[in-house]
Amino acid sequence: TGEASGLSFYEDMHPPAADFRADILAGLSKPQKALPPKYYYDEEGSRLFDAITEQPEYYVTGTELDLLRAIGPELAALAGKGAVVLEPGAGSSVKIRTLLDALHSPAAYVGMDISGDHVRAACEALAADYPGLEIGALCHDFTQALDIDALPLSAEARAGRRVVFFPGSTIGNFELIDALGLLKTLRTWLRDGDALLIGTDMRKSSETLEAAYDDKAGVTAAFNLNLIARINRELDGNIDAEALQYRAFWNPYRSRVEMYLEALRDMHFTVAGKSFVIRKHETIHMENSHKFTLDTFHDLAAKAGLQSRKAWVSAHEPFSMHWLEP
Ligand code: AVI
């Protein structure tokens, strides 16, 4: 435990370091080339993602925030007084503020992220605005086990209901088998009476979905090409980003938007000293964004030992929030 201004604690759980070079080389060596989307988020990538959330076609963020505001009183009633909010992958400060403002005198908030600097800064900013709230920050990879009982929380916070908050439909970016694994991991943080509050985007028309993931201003395309630029810069690569065309399409059979970069011509390139070929029209698979119905998500949650207590669906573009209990 180290002291940090305004924080009750900062703990570094030493998440295993990601191996950018090995992961990128492995992805480029697959028959269907694929890059892990977790590497999108360098400084420029995080800035571009924020810009995506402001595009008129990308309904996801605004819809979820409106829904969260609308259901605030119901969330407060379900959480009761003195809840402890735990947020894996602490991301959007506006969403967590919306939740904290809705709850009846929450006892504590614990933010966690794989980047220690990021989570510490985000939690310190929150602490400055919520001076009475016990706030802790954890450098942790939320796909790994975590013993919540071992956190240095006050006695009051230990007694509070735990509400794990996982907004943004981030769960949709995982392959279903990994989404199930993640739900099972989050399930281990919960005792009887605790809850997982999770946002999931829903199926809708292919037009709406394809526009949301390929905005007119080209921000999502730039977000994808930024990972190519990062590979060229950090791994001494020479991929011609100009010869890659971004494409997003709805796959109804797998209920997901799939994002690709397509080669406009044959290309030979090297990354970290290794040679690769990509043929004209061949693609690099960049990301998936799964879309659910209430039933498909509840089935997945049930497999992870989580039952739906309550679900809310936004009135406009359908997006759902779920209150799940063990
Ligand atoms: C972070 N995640 C929920 C986004 C999504 O909607 O799947 C990532 C994204 N990729 C392109 N646009 C948004």
Side-chain angles (χ1 to χ4, degrees):
T1 303
E3 317 86 63
S5 64
L7 297 184
S8 309
F9 64 86
Y10 170 73
E11 296 243 339
D12 188 346
M13 317 296 278
H14 303 286
D19 193 338
F20 184 53
R21 182 178 178 278
D23 290 348
I24 297 301
L25 291 178
L28 290 174
S29 305
K30 289 181 180 168
Q32 163 68 70
K33 292 177 170 50
L35 297 174
K38 67 175 176 184
Y39 293 116
Y40 278 136
Y41 301 93
D42 65 353
E43 213 179 303
E44 176 68 357
S46 301
R47 192 193 67 74
L48 286 165
F49 181 70
D50 286 345
I52 288 174
T53 67
E54 279 155 23
Q55 297 311 300
E57 300 96 328
Y58 191 75
Y59 60 85
V60 178
T61 312
T63 306
E64 184 180 46
L65 199 55
D66 289 346
L67 183 59
L68 210 48
R69 290 197 177 107
I71 67 176
E74 285 179 81
L75 294 175
L78 283 163
K81 272 205 164 64
V84 177
V85 179
L86 302 148
E87 189 181 15
S92 149
S93 79
V94 34
K95 285 179 204 165
I96 187 59
R97 282 160 200 254
T98 303
L99 178 62
L100 291 172
D101 291 345
L103 298 183
H104 298 308
S105 41
Y109 167 76
V110 181
M112 47 194 98
D113 194 80
I114 195 147
S115 158
D117 290 343
H118 172 86
V119 72
R120 190 194 280 244
C123 290
E124 282 175 0
L126 204 63
D129 293 337
Y130 293 80
L133 186 63
E134 183 177 328
I135 296 184
L138 280 186
C139 173
H140 174 70
D141 175 352
F142 60 71
T143 63
Q144 308 287 311
L146 177 68
D147 181 4
I148 306 288
D149 291 321
L151 298 179
L153 288 163
S154 66
E156 192 208 348
R158 280 172 194 283
R161 169 177 280 120
R162 290 178 191 160
V163 177
V164 175
F165 184 47
F166 197 55
S169 203
T170 302
I171 191 83
N173 296 126
F174 291 81
E175 293 286 347
L176 291 180
I177 185 83
D178 299 323
L180 178 61
L182 177 55
L183 290 173
K184 284 181 178 167
T185 298
L186 298 179
R187 160 78 183 77
T188 66
W189 301 3
L190 307 177
R191 308 153 303 185
D192 279 352
D194 294 338
L196 170 62
L197 176 63
I198 183 167
T200 57
D201 194 16
M202 301 183 80
R203 288 178 72 123
K204 52 184 65 62
S205 77
S206 57
E207 289 79 11
T208 303
L209 287 167
E210 289 176 357
Y213 289 85
D214 193 3
D215 60 280
K216 277 217 178 72
V219 183
T220 310
F223 176 65
N224 281 271
L225 289 166
N226 178 61
L227 179 49
I228 300 300
R230 180 177 180 191
I231 291 168
N232 285 344
R233 191 173 60 243
E234 294 181 22
L235 299 177
D236 191 26
N238 59 0
I239 308 172
D240 180 5
E242 304 264 291
L244 292 171
Q245 167 77 48
Y246 174 69
R247 303 206 183 280
F249 69 86
W250 168 241
N251 180 340
Y253 306 104
R254 303 188 76 166
S255 200
R256 66 193 196 183
V257 177
E258 298 181 357
M259 290 155 264
Y260 296 91
L261 290 173
E262 180 184 332
L264 298 175
R265 57 172 173 80
D266 286 359
M267 282 196 269
H268 296 256
F269 60 90
T270 58
V271 172
K274 304 251 181 282
S275 302
F276 298 92
V277 183
I278 184 165
R279 296 293 172 195
K280 186 175 181 179
H281 299 313
E282 192 184 332
T283 55
I284 306 174
H285 190 181
M286 302 297 283
E287 194 180 31
N288 299 309
S289 192
H290 290 82
K291 307 301 172 186
F292 299 90
T293 64
L294 289 181
D295 284 345
T296 59
F297 189 69
H298 288 161
D299 287 350
L300 187 70
K303 285 191 190 129
L306 292 162
Q307 314 308 324
S308 168
R309 169 88 179 267
K310 176 97 200 167
W312 302 266
V313 178
S314 55
H316 188 40
E317 295 302 355
F319 185 99
S320 52
M321 292 291 318
H322 305 261
W323 184 276
L324 306 172
E325 293 178 349

